[in-house]
Amino acid sequence: MTTIAHQILAPLRAGLTGVPGVSVPRPGAGPAGDEGLARRLRALACTAPLHDLDARKSNLAGEYAVYGMAELGLAAIDLVTLYMDFDTGADRDQILAKLLPRAAAQAPERPAEEHLRVSRWVLESLINVGSVDRGFRAVYGMFTPDGAYVRHDYDFKLIEEFPGRDGGIYLRATDEAVNVLVGALDTDVASAQIAAEVKLEVLIARGRLADAQLAAEQARYRTVQYAETLRRALDATRRNVRAVDWLNAVPDMIAEALDHVADRYRHETAILTNIRRARDEAEDAQHKRRAAELVDIVKDCIRRHTQLQSRLLEAGPLFRAEQDRQAFATPAARAGTDLYGQLLATTLPLPVEQAGTVVGAFFARGAGFRAPGSVRLCDLVDALLTPPVEREHLGAELPEPDLVATPDDSRFSEEQLEAALQILDLPPDAPRRLSGLLAEARRQDPELPYLLALLAVHAASPPVGVAHRQGEDRLLFAVDDGTPLDDPEFGGADLIVGTAVLREAPRQGHGEPRDKPIGVRSRTSGVADAQ
Amino acid sequence: MIPEPAPPAEGEHRTPVETVADAVGAQDPTAPRAASAPQITPGDVSEASRLVGFGLQPKLLPARDAEYGALVRRYREDPPFARLADAVAAGLGLIVLEVSPRTGMAVAAAEDSVFAVRMGEYSRRAASDSGDRFLHGLAHLAVAALAFPRPEDLADDGYLGRISVNGVDAFVRQACKRLAERAEAEGEITDPASDAPGLEAAWRVYTRRSATGATKDARRLSGSTTGIIGKAVSFLVDSGFLQKISDDSGGTYRTTARYQLQVRELAASAAMAELLELGIVPVSDGSASLVPPPDGSEALAADAGLPFHAL
């Protein structure tokens, strides 16, 4: 409320005092506060792609509301972070395979194919495959020291694709992604590491293993992030020594990192001893299992520290080697050709004959080569002498089906049905009692009343809609008026059975096609429907 | 087992068979390498040829084959061996583009080499029909142009392009549509003269061809533009230039380091030389010519995967 009042009052006050409001009153506590706000806005932006996943799932063709896309996305970032190594990133298929069980658990009744589709969509959305630089952009505003409001673009990525040494394509979680994942937004790598470790020790000392595991996992993410920072510095060095400050920044960082590795190694070995004790002393099976998991996590942390340390030691020699290589290499004087602007767009308006020679030249040098197949003479002779396989136009011959006459086990014969229908073929204006019909049927055939009773019972719920659709003009119906049936074989209500005439309802517009199917067929099908 | 070579005293009576046995014997890893001895041994030639042989399997990468990896390492560390391997490749009519762990031995066929692919072999229809010849070539150019949309993408070794068959078609179609609109606005008559079909504007040939068509066996219609692009793409996959990611949008693919090399080092300059021959000098200041739409109102090519306009 106060801020709103402030905003409303400020111009007023400016007007009242007669001083023109030249600069907008700056909210917050000076440039430092603004910077903090910008940092938090950037951190907030990193979570946007995850929310976006859930917002966009309705755009997918299909019913995907049941999936928790943000959860899948966060799990994917989690997996990539855990599986990426110093040299290689995480394998895409491996990540997808690990993501599948979660998608399957969210919608167990859906086909596995859909789970894969959803997992792939989530992963590709996090890479942001659709955009050209495979990244995201957020816009935020800041006040400059002289009071002007300036908008900035903040570009970030969550998962990056990059080529591996073996030519394969791997995934890496970016720093931003690790920050989103851990939730510790805008924190210093080193201090976060120490904080997590101290927290871990305290937690273990208090025996709160569930929280300890969380802290240990956070410590591992931090470790990975540390390694990632170094990897990027080394990568940049490999490309261009001058891009990295090897005079101060990197040596400082390496020295610092080495100190940290030594420090953390000591810490974590101590932690490991503690947890091992906790594991062995724990009574509760749950505690024991969690402690065992913790041991694994901390072991993995130590493994990563060792890996980081060996890289740190190699960094110096790598720099010197790269400096030598790059200082004496001939400068790469190639600006990339603009394939679209210089070639494609230039070629399309040309006459087709000229254009053909241009694209022909591109094809000849750009399609690759083919190793011609060479034939051994004996193979050739064999191939030529082998009679061609006869190709049947009609396909393989079908075996004659061995038909066995099935015994006619129908309860009633066709003739009985005919007879029963004949009895039931009542004039529309003269309905009859079921008892009378049964007596008439019994006179013809002792079995017939059963069929008749069956048909009458079905007529109690006549399929009016079906009959109408099929264009029937009459329909058998049966109504119970409460009279009990007096019959030696049957009990129940003495139904009134009659024939109703169906009339086309007066309808506007198009009428139903009225071609009438064959009477007997439609009737039997009506019976079948009722059954 | 290979018999031990005869002692030097009897060397003068050697038969050719023994010489071959000697050459094979030199392949023994315990035998001294050429690096220490200045002269080339038959074993070195055999290894250099083996490396070229590996290079002729474009989908094979050194990381997946220990022997290949060792030969690539030797090429990079042993200059006489590298010269020897280059010579073997040149003798076979191959151009060595790069030998590195990421690409392996990337070779390309010289123009008159037995390894070169000719348009007539690539597509039988293209041999006789100039329109088809153009479309097949254009498909390759368009795939490359979409795989590396900006000049810096082609120059950056770390860049991975991503294309889809439908995306390439949609993009080229949009470019052609804009040319048609422009021609119409300028009042040009683009209908070709009946007696000079070769003078028809190239984009018209593309516009005329249907994008797709139904076939009896649910395969892509080979004469449609997506069929032609699909053929180009699968050919490039076999050349080790693209890798299939999924079946989405008619097939989605990623580029490999080899493709970037081939386009950058050979194909682009060959096409450029041809244009110069025709008296057309495409000038670029190194900046991208694909631009985002000015106000976002105009539709982008669907599926192309680029937030860019054609033209």
Side-chain angles (χ1 to χ4, degrees):
Chain A
M1 276 309 287
T2 47
T3 45
I4 294 172
H6 177 76
Q7 276 168 8
I8 295 169
L9 287 177
L12 269 179
R13 227 178 274 141
L16 280 175
T17 48
V19 179
V22 193
S23 67
V24 186
R26 180 192 296 150
D34 218 26
E35 227 165 78
L37 182 68
R39 204 157 51 212
R40 273 175 290 148
L41 279 172
R42 283 200 293 264
L44 191 63
C46 290
T47 65
L50 287 172
H51 299 304
D52 201 34
L53 284 179
D54 269 324
R56 279 193 305 134
K57 69 183 172 190
S58 57
N59 298 353
L60 286 169
E63 180 45 52
Y64 293 125
V66 62
Y67 294 99
M69 295 297 187
E71 178 190 331
L72 284 176
L74 208 52
I77 293 175
D78 212 332
L79 286 168
V80 172
T81 313
L82 282 183
Y83 280 89
M84 70 189 202
D85 240 330
F86 196 88
D87 285 327
T88 53
D91 186 52
R92 185 172 176 276
D93 293 338
Q94 200 184 356
I95 298 297
L96 278 179
K98 297 265 177 195
L99 201 55
L100 268 184
R102 188 171 282 271
Q106 286 185 348
E109 70 283 359
R110 300 290 177 85
E113 205 175 291
E114 186 182 294
H115 298 147
L116 184 66
R117 222 195 105 166
V118 167
S119 310
R120 195 175 288 155
W121 179 77
V122 166
L123 192 60
E124 299 208 335
S125 300
L126 290 177
I127 302 169
N128 205 359
V129 165
S131 69
V132 70
D133 48 5
R134 312 245 161 90
F136 302 92
R137 168 172 288 190
V139 180
Y140 65 95
M142 261 178 90
F143 284 102
T144 57
D146 52 355
Y149 183 74
V150 181
R151 278 205 170 78
H152 297 271
D153 283 344
Y154 170 56
D155 288 294
F156 65 98
K157 295 181 182 189
L158 293 181
I159 297 180
E160 282 184 298
E161 285 174 308
F162 76 103
R165 288 280 164 82
D166 57 352
I169 287 145
Y170 292 93
L171 302 175
R172 270 187 184 285
T174 58
D175 276 355
E176 291 93 335
V178 174
N179 273 328
V180 169
L181 177 71
V182 178
L185 301 165
D186 185 35
T187 40
D188 181 38
V189 179
S191 67
Q193 176 74 42
I194 291 168
E197 267 164 18
V198 171
K199 200 166 145 204
L200 188 63
E201 269 181 297
V202 171
L203 289 171
I204 286 168
R206 291 186 194 157
R208 288 173 59 188
L209 289 176
D211 293 342
Q213 177 170 356
L214 194 69
E217 273 173 350
Q218 285 186 3
R220 178 162 56 168
Y221 295 139
R222 291 289 164 201
T223 313
V224 170
Q225 199 180 15
Y226 215 109
E228 186 67 8
T229 314
L230 180 78
R231 186 191 64 81
R232 251 177 316 166
L234 292 187
D235 259 10
T237 306
R238 253 184 225 114
R239 278 196 293 274
N240 185 1
V241 174
R242 264 167 279 186
V244 184
D245 178 10
W246 275 90
L247 195 62
N248 299 312
V250 176
D252 286 355
M253 192 196 85
I254 288 176
E256 201 178 303
L258 276 173
D259 283 352
H260 272 282
V261 167
D263 205 32
R264 281 200 298 266
Y265 189 80
R266 204 172 52 239
H267 265 273
E268 265 154 27
T269 317
I271 292 170
L272 196 59
T273 325
N274 271 327
I275 312 171
R276 282 216 176 103
R277 197 184 308 133
R279 180 188 62 186
D280 296 342
E281 287 170 359
E283 301 286 319
D284 188 6
Q286 183 86 10
H287 272 221
K288 234 180 170 54
R289 191 172 55 79
R290 194 155 277 154
E293 282 172 12
L294 257 178
V295 170
D296 283 346
I297 291 172
V298 176
K299 267 190 193 160
D300 186 54
C301 287
I302 292 177
R303 185 181 66 78
R304 279 174 194 269
H305 294 329
T306 326
Q307 199 186 17
L308 181 64
Q309 189 207 14
S310 66
R311 296 292 158 165
L312 286 167
L313 294 178
E314 285 168 16
L318 182 122
F319 161 66
R320 284 187 287 279
E322 283 300 323
Q323 193 186 28
D324 287 352
R325 186 181 71 78
Q326 291 176 21
F328 299 111
T330 48
R334 55 158 189 259
T337 310
D338 184 1
L339 289 175
Y340 172 74
Q342 288 180 287
L343 290 179
L344 189 59
T346 321
T347 309
L348 281 176
L350 291 180
V352 67
E353 217 161 70
Q354 293 184 352
T357 61
V358 176
V359 296
F362 186 90
F363 171 84
R365 309 313 292 270
F369 58 83
R370 281 292 175 274
S374 54
V375 187
R376 285 192 306 172
L377 191 61
C378 54
D379 291 343
L380 186 66
V381 170
D382 276 355
L384 288 174
L385 292 183
T386 310
V389 184
E390 290 278 335
R391 291 190 61 170
E392 300 276 343
H393 279 293
L394 299 173
E397 199 174 319
L398 284 176
E400 196 67 37
D402 197 7
L403 297 176
V404 179
T406 48
D408 187 11
D409 53 357
S410 312
R411 175 84 162 75
F412 304 104
S413 65
E414 282 289 321
E415 291 78 37
Q416 284 173 320
L417 179 65
E418 276 297 315
L421 290 173
Q422 191 144 22
I423 293 172
L424 287 175
D425 188 14
L426 306 165
D429 50 354
R432 290 176 60 182
R433 287 267 169 203
L434 180 60
S435 49
L437 291 168
L438 286 174
E440 189 187 331
R442 195 166 292 124
R443 275 197 296 281
Q444 288 187 21
D445 181 348
E447 281 289 297
L448 204 54
Y450 287 94
L451 179 56
L452 196 93
L454 198 62
L455 288 171
V457 169
H458 277 300
S461 166
V464 182
V466 175
H468 181 69
R469 260 202 308 284
Q470 291 178 345
E472 305 249 352
D473 52 2
R474 320 155 52 98
L475 182 70
L476 193 68
F477 73 92
V479 184
D480 176 15
D481 64 346
T483 318
L485 177 63
D486 181 23
D487 193 271
E489 284 176 283
F490 302 98
D494 197 359
L495 300 170
I496 300 170
V497 183
T499 303
V501 179
L502 294 178
R503 239 183 250 123
E504 184 79 14
R507 270 200 296 171
Q508 246 115 66
H510 62 89
E512 293 269 316
R514 297 225 34 162
D515 41 333
K516 198 170 164 185
I518 306 159
V520 175
R521 208 186 132 223
S522 70
R523 225 177 230 162
T524 44
S525 75
V527 170
D529 252 77
Q531 280 166 350
Chain B
M1 280 302 293
I2 299 150
E4 279 291 306
E10 294 164 32
E12 45 206 74
H13 303 300
R14 269 188 200 174
T15 61
V17 178
E18 279 172 337
T19 320
V20 171
D22 198 7
V24 176
Q27 267 189 333
D28 192 290
T30 54
R33 280 262 166 91
S36 54
Q39 72 267 49
I40 297 162
T41 67
D44 291 328
V45 179
S46 160
E47 285 206 344
S49 313
R50 182 122 185 83
L51 178 59
V52 175
F54 277 123
L56 284 172
Q57 300 167 50
K59 286 184 177 174
L60 193 66
L61 286 168
R64 299 273 157 91
D65 189 306
E67 191 188 353
Y68 193 4
L71 287 172
V72 166
R73 242 189 335 277
R74 188 173 171 202
Y75 182 99
R76 289 164 77 81
E77 289 162 5
D78 182 355
F81 177 75
R83 277 205 300 279
L84 186 61
D86 286 347
V88 170
L92 287 168
L94 294 169
I95 303 161
V96 180
L97 296 176
E98 183 178 316
V99 181
S100 69
R102 73 184 185 114
T103 59
M105 184 169 206
V107 290
E111 220 157 318
D112 49 353
S113 152
V114 286
F115 299 105
V117 180
R118 279 156 195 90
M119 188 61 98
E121 296 161 14
Y122 175 78
S123 159
R124 216 168 294 161
R125 270 184 64 87
S128 53
D129 186 321
S130 73
D132 269 72
R133 195 157 55 237
F134 163 71
L135 287 176
H136 280 288
L138 182 71
H140 279 265
L141 176 57
V143 166
L146 247 75
F148 308 106
R150 295 167 298 185
E152 58 263 38
D153 299 337
L154 195 56
D156 175 11
D157 275 342
Y159 184 83
L160 280 180
R162 181 189 282 251
I163 57 142
S164 66
V165 170
N166 294 350
V168 172
D169 178 60
F171 184 79
V172 178
R173 226 160 248 290
Q174 196 200 32
C176 292
K177 195 172 132 234
R178 283 168 173 275
L179 282 171
E181 282 167 2
R182 190 187 298 172
E184 201 171 325
E186 288 170 10
E188 273 178 52
I189 299 169
T190 53
D191 295 334
S194 312
D195 54 346
L199 293 180
E200 182 179 14
W203 57 265
R204 282 183 53 91
V205 178
Y206 197 92
T207 317
R208 216 169 42 220
R209 190 61 64 97
S210 72
T212 181
T215 54
K216 269 179 282 180
D217 47 3
R219 279 188 302 182
R220 245 197 300 258
L221 181 66
S222 65
S224 67
T225 52
T226 50
I228 287 172
I229 294 165
K231 183 187 171 78
V233 163
S234 57
F235 193 86
L236 292 173
V237 169
D238 288 341
S239 300
F241 289 167
L242 294 178
Q243 284 170 346
K244 186 161 192 168
I245 310 170
S246 71
D247 288 324
D248 302 341
S249 308
T252 307
Y253 300 82
R254 266 189 291 229
T255 60
T256 64
R258 269 190 181 225
Y259 188 46
Q260 198 184 34
L261 264 181
Q262 181 96 16
V263 171
R264 185 170 67 202
E265 310 289 336
L266 286 178
S269 46
M272 201 75 84
E274 202 64 44
L275 273 176
L276 291 175
E277 195 101 325
L278 294 170
I280 298 154
V281 188
V283 183
S284 166
D285 57 356
S287 63
S289 52
L290 286 166
V291 286
D295 51 0
S297 61
E298 287 186 84
L300 299 168
D303 300 332
L306 291 178
F308 292 138
H309 260 310
L311 293 178

